[in-house]
Amino acid sequence: MHSTLLLPVWAFVSYIIYLIASSVLTSRHHRRRAHELHCADPPRVRTADPIGIINIRAMLKADKESRMPQYLCERYEASCEREGKRLGTFCQNILGSWSVFTTEPENIKAILASQFKEFGLGDTRNNNFAPLLGHGIFSTDGKGWEHSRTLLRPQFAREQVSDLDLEERHVQNLLRNLPVQSDGWTEVTDLKTLFFRLTIDSASEFLFGESLDSQISHFPDYKTNRMPMKVSEKEFGIAFDGAQGGIAKAARFGDMYWMAHDKQLKKHCETCHTFIDHYVQLALSKDKASLRSDPKNGQYVFLDAVAETTRDPVELRQHLLSIMVAGRDTTASLLSIMFLLLTKNPHIYAQLRSVVLETFGTFDNPKNITFSSLKNCTYLQWCMNETLRLYPQVPINSRRALVDTTLPTGGGPSGTSPIYIRKGQQCDYSVFVMQRRKDLWGPDADEWKPERWDGRKSGWEFLPFNGGPRICIGQQFALTEAGYVAVRLMQKFGEIQAAPGDDSWGVDKNGAIDGKLKVWVTLTGSPADGVRVRMKGATE
Ligand code: HEM
Ligand SMILES: *[C@@H]1O[C@H](CO)[C@@H](O)[C@H](O)[C@H]1NC(C)=O
Ligand SMILES: *[C@@H]1O[C@H](CO)[C@@H](O)[C@H](O)[C@H]1NC(C)=O
Ligand SMILES: *[C@@H]1O[C@H](CO)[C@@H](O)[C@H](O)[C@H]1NC(C)=O
């Protein structure tokens, strides 16, 4: 009796001894390798608790207060300084595992480009995103990612991304919501709401061949021949935001992301899927021949093009949703923040506007607004780059080591030794923090100064669209769309003013944002309190 009871106890004790011994041996092995490779540890952020709950609590609090990126900057400012130089890399404890946090261009370049094969998104991120996005381009590594990338990339060729007639229709719809009153000004309006509707309308037309018309469906004269849907465009919008928010929150828990996957997230994802599946079924009901011969008046439709290469409805759904996540909020947020910064910097609005009028004519007599002339308009590009520098839409990102490897810098007393990275270790990087580093951008790094781009060659210290093989495939699409919308609005409106009394954030005397601007971050960031302004109709 006794001996049969003892057996499992003995087995259990041996197992624990085995675990401890193997962990000691592994640690020794890693220490030896690190030594051979001349690696040294980066500084560790110490927390009072052994498993770093304090770190998670601080991040969730920053999320709640819409100041996650600022929180990251503060933590960077509080990090070690060695020999007069702030260290751009440190280690932090997230639920018992040590992850690296870096803002060092050289390390980010290694993670994204020169050592691309050694780092991946990792199973944690991929599985965290899966309820909404399946294993599409944003949530796969290796072969699966290569497949999606090869399939999607050609859809972003220059011809497809420069359909400015499509964009013009949506700008006209935006303007219907911004009528100029008899006093020459519009009413106070939240531009962020308008930009989010604009980009969902143009993205849906590009993706499905049919706009969701969220900008105009509330007008009494609105007619549509769209088929009735099980899920309305409004319900989809709410569920889409909710699902992204849920996933972003879960991501703060690292490997324990599944703890935050609740019923509500599941419901939001189902709503999104039902909505998208309507379009997938529509595309699949057309046969291949008609897909090719019957694009609506020669218009390019993303879904039809992709449906020529795959007939798998789940795959089509995940491509559509991935592109929507990638493309809608990012461009809308870039526009929102740029107009917010222009509102706070009236002299730059005036200067950009005069360049716009000179280059592209007036609102009623526009000339030559094309893909290449937008790209060619230097001051406009400076303003967009400078916005992407101070408020990158993906402020924080991360990768996992797929093998035992090293990062080139950040370790040891001088902060310049390579760092040893174990297989599976998480490496977080923040371009938000990097793009504000004073040692990289000068003492005026916090200021919005388009002129700083004059003659500046950007390298790995400027990464709003990421770099390396996984660089954003929508970069040209986004810059063309945002540039076009900005040009048309500036032609239309001679002046822009913040809503009276709406001054919870501001600029200091140098034009620097005072740090109080709330940035709401789910998977991407945008101004939390919107962009409430009024605009004055142009007199030209
Ligand atoms: C201002 C606008 C935009 C910004 C700042 C931006 C930024 C980024 C960033 C930082 C990534 C890397 C994400 C990662 O690897 O973790 C990314 C990837 C991606 N972006 Fe964008 N993006 C923008 C607009 C767009 C648009 C309009 C589209 C498409 C319509 C798009 C499609 C994609 C896709 C498909 C990927 C995944 C690429 C891959 O993993 O191979 N993006 N973007
Ligand atoms: C557009 O630009 C081309 C060359 O860049 C020029 O020949 C043409 O006159 C321009 N059109 C207008 C309407 O200004
Ligand atoms: C771009 O700008 C240059 C000089 O600023 C000009 O010569 C050229 O014609 C422009 N190209 C387009 C397509 O507008
Ligand atoms: C804006 O940044 C991009 C890098 O993303 C760079 O290629 C481009 O030259 C910059 N534009 C200007 C006008 O400096």
Side-chain angles (χ1 to χ4, degrees):
M1 186 72 190
H2 267 72
S3 61
T4 47
L5 243 182
L6 271 177
L7 196 64
V9 172
W10 174 235
F12 181 73
V13 170
S14 329
Y15 181 64
I16 296 291
I17 292 173
Y18 161 79
L19 281 186
I20 294 172
S22 84
S23 144
V24 167
L25 286 177
T26 327
S27 287
R28 269 224 328 245
H29 161 77
H30 287 301
R31 265 205 310 279
R32 206 170 43 236
R33 279 298 291 153
H35 185 73
E36 282 161 14
L37 294 164
H38 307 290
C39 291
D41 287 338
R44 288 186 164 193
V45 178
R46 306 242 167 241
T47 48
D49 66 321
I51 60 166
I53 300 236
I54 289 175
N55 282 329
I56 298 200
R57 278 239 301 272
M59 282 192 280
L60 291 175
K61 177 165 176 279
D63 274 337
K64 213 169 181 170
E65 293 169 353
S66 304
R67 52 191 310 283
M68 182 67 181
Q70 287 92 334
Y71 163 75
L72 294 175
C73 280
E74 285 160 14
R75 232 181 33 175
Y76 166 74
E77 290 297 337
S79 71
C80 301
E81 210 174 322
R82 302 274 166 81
E83 289 153 25
K85 196 177 168 294
R86 184 146 328 276
L87 298 187
T89 303
F90 47 86
C91 261
Q92 66 169 344
N93 190 342
I94 300 285
L95 296 183
S97 53
W98 287 92
S99 61
V100 168
F101 177 92
T102 189
T103 61
E104 209 60 71
E106 221 186 310
N107 284 342
I108 300 180
K109 178 181 172 185
I111 293 170
L112 297 179
S114 39
Q115 294 167 226
F116 177 72
K117 288 234 155 72
E118 298 171 5
F119 291 90
L121 304 182
D123 292 343
T124 300
R125 165 164 157 182
N126 292 340
N127 295 334
N128 182 23
F129 281 32
L132 181 65
L133 300 181
H135 288 289
I137 191 161
F138 270 115
S139 39
T140 39
D141 289 311
K143 286 270 172 287
W145 164 73
E146 269 174 44
H147 169 78
S148 290
R149 181 99 185 172
T150 314
L151 193 89
L152 297 181
R153 197 168 159 67
Q155 317 307 335
F156 291 86
R158 181 173 157 173
E159 296 76 53
Q160 270 87 269
V161 307
S162 44
D163 186 349
L164 296 176
D165 294 338
L166 177 154
E167 207 54 51
E168 176 64 18
R169 287 197 297 280
H170 298 295
V171 170
Q172 292 291 345
N173 290 341
L174 183 149
L175 290 171
R176 281 193 70 185
N177 292 285
L178 262 179
V180 175
Q181 319 286 302
S182 53
D183 65 354
W185 289 82
T186 68
E187 280 179 30
V188 169
T189 309
D190 178 14
L191 284 181
K192 176 178 151 179
T193 306
L194 298 193
F195 288 144
F196 272 70
R197 290 194 189 140
L198 172 100
T199 52
I200 194 89
D201 284 2
S202 60
S204 51
E205 188 163 355
F206 170 79
L207 294 172
F208 321 137
E210 181 173 280
S211 173
L212 295 185
D213 286 342
S214 66
Q215 302 193 100
I216 49 170
S217 53
H218 59 283
F219 288 118
D221 63 349
Y222 177 68
K223 282 195 197 67
T224 178
N225 44 19
R226 228 178 334 135
M227 293 217 280
M229 311 262 293
K230 278 191 222 130
V231 169
S232 73
E233 156 263 318
K234 241 204 184 106
E235 289 166 312
F236 168 68
I238 293 167
F240 194 49
D241 290 339
Q244 289 189 56
I247 287 172
K249 187 167 161 209
R252 305 279 180 251
F253 290 81
D255 288 341
M256 309 280 211
Y257 66 89
W258 46 267
M259 283 182 357
H261 279 195
D262 51 15
K263 268 210 192 95
Q264 201 186 15
L265 175 65
K266 196 164 161 233
K267 191 145 177 286
H268 284 322
C269 294
E270 275 167 12
T271 306
C272 295
H273 293 175
T274 310
F275 180 83
I276 294 291
D277 287 349
H278 166 88
Y279 291 101
V280 171
Q281 290 311 324
L282 216 60
L284 288 177
S285 68
K286 306 176 194 169
D287 60 58
K288 271 197 179 185
S290 81
L291 280 177
R292 213 161 308 140
S293 63
D294 162 49
K296 257 203 289 175
N297 15 330
Q299 183 201 327
Y300 169 86
V301 175
F302 175 91
L303 176 56
D304 292 349
V306 178
E308 277 194 36
T309 62
T310 174
R311 312 291 291 173
D312 176 350
V314 174
E315 192 186 343
L316 286 170
R317 174 215 283 165
Q318 82 199 13
H319 291 318
L320 279 173
L321 273 171
S322 301
I323 296 294
M324 280 195 122
V325 165
R328 176 189 81 153
D329 296 7
T330 45
T331 313
S333 161
L334 167 60
L335 275 165
S336 303
I337 296 188
M338 185 159 82
F339 272 82
L340 182 149
L341 291 161
L342 286 167
T343 307
K344 294 287 172 181
N345 292 274
H347 61 290
I348 301 183
Y349 188 89
Q351 187 172 345
L352 179 56
R353 182 161 193 270
S354 84
V355 170
V356 161
L357 293 183
E358 196 182 308
T359 318
F360 303 112
T362 60
F363 185 80
D364 293 322
N365 281 308
K367 57 176 191 192
N368 273 353
I369 320 183
T370 63
F371 177 83
S372 31
S373 67
L374 286 167
K375 246 186 122 106
N376 212 12
C377 184
T378 314
Y379 198 62
L380 174 66
Q381 297 297 331
W382 286 357
C383 289
M384 290 202 284
N385 273 9
E386 184 64 350
T387 307
L388 291 163
R389 182 183 70 82
L390 272 183
Y391 292 99
Q393 276 62 47
V394 184
I396 179 168
N397 205 334
S398 85
R399 293 293 191 259
R400 289 283 173 138
L402 302 175
V403 291
D404 293 334
T405 181
T406 62
L407 284 178
T409 189
S414 65
T416 51
S417 304
I419 322 173
Y420 187 76
I421 305 285
R422 287 185 188 195
K423 178 178 175 182
Q425 197 167 356
Q426 181 164 326
C427 299
D428 296 324
Y429 61 96
S430 170
V431 303
F432 187 100
V433 179
M434 175 176 73
Q435 291 174 178
R436 288 167 179 243
R437 275 177 58 170
K438 297 197 167 67
D439 57 334
L440 300 175
W441 293 90
D444 60 356
D446 285 337
E447 294 165 37
W448 192 60
K449 271 194 181 163
E451 285 73 19
R452 85 170 70 242
W453 288 90
D454 195 353
R456 187 174 178 114
K457 277 220 171 59
S458 64
W460 285 87
E461 74 284 356
F462 182 63
L463 280 187
F465 294 101
N466 240 23
R470 285 192 98 138
I471 194 171
C472 175
I473 54 180
Q475 177 172 353
Q476 296 311 329
F477 187 99
L479 293 175
T480 305
E481 178 172 28
Y484 185 83
V485 174
V487 164
R488 295 298 281 150
L489 283 181
M490 298 194 99
Q491 287 174 321
K492 180 83 184 174
F493 299 104
E495 243 181 274
I496 185 168
Q497 276 181 359
D502 215 20
D503 238 349
S504 51
W505 48 274
V507 287
D508 67 18
K509 60 184 186 322
N510 299 316
I513 295 293
D514 64 9
K516 285 190 230 142
L517 173 64
K518 288 186 180 170
V519 181
W520 164 79
V521 178
T522 56
L523 297 181
T524 56
S526 65
D529 296 330
V531 184
R532 291 177 6 96
V533 300
R534 59 179 204 144
M535 302 174 87
K536 190 175 182 210
T539 45
E540 295 85 2

